[in-house]
Amino acid sequence: MDNNENTTEKKWSVKDFNYPVPEHAKHFGYTVGGVTVIGFILLAVTGIIMALFYTPTVDNARQSVLNLISNPWGMWLRSFHRWLAEAVTFLIILHISRVVFTGSYMGRRKWNWMFGIGLLVITFTFFFSGTAVKWDQEGYEAYQHALESLALVPMGGAIAGFLSGALAVMRLFTIHVLILPLFLLIFLIPHLVLMKLNGLSPIPGKASTQTITFYDHMKKIIGFSAAIFGFVAFLAAQFPVELYPGPYSGVEMTKPPWIFLPLYQLEDWFGLGALVVFPVFVLIGLVLLPFIDKKIDNRKIRNIVVWSYLILITIMILFIVNVAVKPPVQHLSM
């Protein structure tokens, strides 16, 4: 008689993913990361559709966009993609703000914070490249700013040279639709895995044993996503995004999207070098944050961090408002 014992193999089911999560997972602040992921998915879908109608060449890029928006549905699709990009960027800023205010980068969560910083950089690079590839005056001026800024950093001249010339649009488009999505997955997957392993961060000073299911958490994410992106779809229909003329070399007649207006203000004051120095300064501060603010009960450090962040955000908002009401000025040496 066979003495080997029968073993039962573990079978996975959908119910295995319906694990308990803290009750505050239903609050908007703790769902905004998930809403942002859904926004990225929508950006990918709309971007793939638009890519079918886009010609990534210096001579034909803008004309292909004009051909797309000559159809009302094409106009709405492009507007929805652009409004989505702005919404996703704003949501990421909200997500980072919630993490800062709750100190959710402390302890073992600091490595997830690092992946989040990478995702922030990737998002802003997405927005820049998406602006540039339409190759109108706004996109061309963004492109020229990038080239002149790259020339100020080590090895930047070689990168600027690679992105110059007749293949400029094709290479920018490749970065936008292939390289950046790859980096997005490289950073997003471990970000989500670490979030699962570490668990949802608690609300400071509010210990709670109450839980909800992960499905309940997902329902909230889907509900908030439907409301937010439904509103974005409405904005796309009511306020189609502009395609500028051009591009015209040797003149600067546009201002960048609101996301980059603080840099525009600093460039007014300190010159082109501000486009390099300020982002590097902010990134270094974000990277060092978990090593400076280590304990949630250290009220002195916590207050300094929170108030410094609030002051920085306030200054950025004031810069945006100030630049928005002023006419464009010449920065470039093109």
Side-chain angles (χ1 to χ4, degrees), residues 164-243:
S164 301
L167 297 178
V169 173
M170 186 274 289
R171 287 170 174 165
L172 286 169
F173 184 65
T174 301
I175 290 171
H176 187 69
V177 302
L178 292 178
I179 297 176
L180 287 175
L182 177 61
F183 275 99
L184 179 69
L185 290 176
I186 290 173
F187 279 81
L188 181 60
I189 290 173
H191 187 70
L192 296 175
V193 169
L194 285 172
M195 185 190 69
K196 172 64 175 70
L197 293 176
N198 294 331
L200 197 68
S201 58
I203 299 177
K206 293 185 179 181
S208 175
T209 58
Q210 299 295 319
T211 62
I212 60 174
T213 66
F214 181 72
Y215 286 179
D216 292 329
H217 178 55
M218 284 302 302
K219 289 177 184 177
K220 289 291 184 180
I221 289 175
I222 293 170
F224 285 128
S225 297
I228 292 171
F229 299 129
F231 180 64
V232 170
F234 169 78
L235 290 177
Q238 296 299 315
F239 305 100
V241 296
E242 182 177 3
L243 183 68

Side-chain angles (χ1 to χ4, degrees), residues 42-322:
L42 291 173
L43 281 169
V45 172
T46 54
I48 289 171
I49 297 173
M50 287 196 301
L52 298 174
F53 302 92
Y54 179 71
T55 306
T57 65
V58 169
D59 294 331
N60 298 311
R62 182 178 178 275
Q63 184 60 48
S64 67
V65 178
L66 277 174
N67 293 339
L68 173 67
I69 63 178
S70 64
N71 180 283
W73 285 107
M75 172 66 84
W76 177 85
L77 180 67
R78 176 175 177 262
S79 298
F80 184 54
H81 188 79
R82 171 60 182 268
W83 279 104
L84 264 177
E86 300 204 10
V88 166
T89 306
F90 182 71
L91 287 168
I92 285 182
I93 294 172
L94 282 183
H95 183 51
I96 288 179
S97 300
R98 196 276 297 168
V99 173
V100 171
F101 294 148
T102 59
S104 298
Y105 46 71
M106 297 181 184
R108 65 181 184 270
R109 291 188 174 89
K110 64 176 173 287
W111 304 116
N112 209 13
W113 171 253
M114 300 305 172
F115 283 109
I117 295 172
L119 290 169
L120 177 68
V121 174
I122 291 167
T123 301
F124 274 77
T125 309
F126 257 126
F127 205 109
F128 159 75
S129 58
T131 300
V133 294
K134 56 193 175 78
W135 212 242
D136 60 353
Q137 189 63 25
E138 181 187 52
Y140 183 70
E141 289 177 14
Y143 163 75
Q144 290 292 340
H145 273 90
L147 293 189
E148 294 196 13
S149 300
L150 283 169
L152 301 177
V153 302
M155 299 299 294
I159 299 173
F162 179 75
L163 293 176
S164 301
L167 297 178
V169 173
M170 186 274 289
R171 287 170 174 165
L172 286 169
F173 184 65
T174 301
I175 290 171
H176 187 69
V177 302
L178 292 178
I179 297 176
L180 287 175
L182 177 61
F183 275 99
L184 179 69
L185 290 176
I186 290 173
F187 279 81
L188 181 60
I189 290 173
H191 187 70
L192 296 175
V193 169
L194 285 172
M195 185 190 69
K196 172 64 175 70
L197 293 176
N198 294 331
L200 197 68
S201 58
I203 299 177
K206 293 185 179 181
S208 175
T209 58
Q210 299 295 319
T211 62
I212 60 174
T213 66
F214 181 72
Y215 286 179
D216 292 329
H217 178 55
M218 284 302 302
K219 289 177 184 177
K220 289 291 184 180
I221 289 175
I222 293 170
F224 285 128
S225 297
I228 292 171
F229 299 129
F231 180 64
V232 170
F234 169 78
L235 290 177
Q238 296 299 315
F239 305 100
V241 296
E242 182 177 3
L243 183 68
Y244 289 87
Y248 306 111
S249 181
V251 62
E252 190 171 353
M253 61 180 70
T254 71
K255 290 180 285 188
W258 66 268
I259 296 166
F260 300 109
L261 288 182
L263 289 176
Y264 190 95
Q265 177 67 81
L266 292 172
E267 189 182 12
D268 275 352
W269 290 345
F270 305 110
L272 197 64
L275 303 185
V276 177
V277 174
F278 181 73
V280 170
F281 174 78
V282 172
L283 285 175
I284 291 174
L286 292 174
V287 169
L288 293 178
L289 198 54
F291 302 97
I292 297 172
D293 188 17
K294 299 179 180 179
K295 296 180 180 180
I296 200 71
D297 56 353
N298 190 332
R299 299 310 305 169
K300 182 178 180 180
I301 297 296
R302 281 264 72 214
N303 287 336
I304 291 174
V305 167
V306 170
W307 279 105
S308 297
Y309 185 81
L310 284 171
I311 291 171
L312 177 64
I313 292 296
T314 301
I315 291 173
M316 295 301 101
I317 292 173
L318 291 175
F319 283 176
I320 290 172
V321 174
N322 184 53

